[in-house]
Amino acid sequence: MTTPMTSQDALARLAAVIESRKAANGGDPSASYVARLLDKGPDAFLKKIGEEATEVVMAAKDADHGGDKHKIVCEMADLWFHGMIALAHYGLQPADVIAELQRREGTSGIEEKALRKAIARDAESK
């Protein structure tokens, strides 16, 4: 009997592919888009994250005016993908993000944001 695949499984598989594209793992920038972005460094993939975030906003605005809602999904997939490249660069995994979302579950967004601000103020005063 097979176990149904979860979203976390799909993210973990994609993260493994991204990890395999790192230069330390034999990634070839001439043969792989991910390897090329990683080779260029943070400025390259962070710029892509900014571009993709803007495209998500534009797709959502278009959907508000009768545009295809599926474009939001496509642009969000691009944003998540490039975000996962950043995670890999910094030695992090999608599971780290999922754990943080689970930690926040059931917490008011207003309370959570206030707590983060208080922690940041504490850190600055030390």
Side-chain angles (χ1 to χ4, degrees), residues 6-18 84 93-95 98:
T6 66
S7 299
Q8 192 167 349
D9 294 334
L11 292 174
R13 282 195 318 279
L14 179 55
V17 170
I18 292 169
M84 288 178 65
Q93 294 288 321
I98 291 167

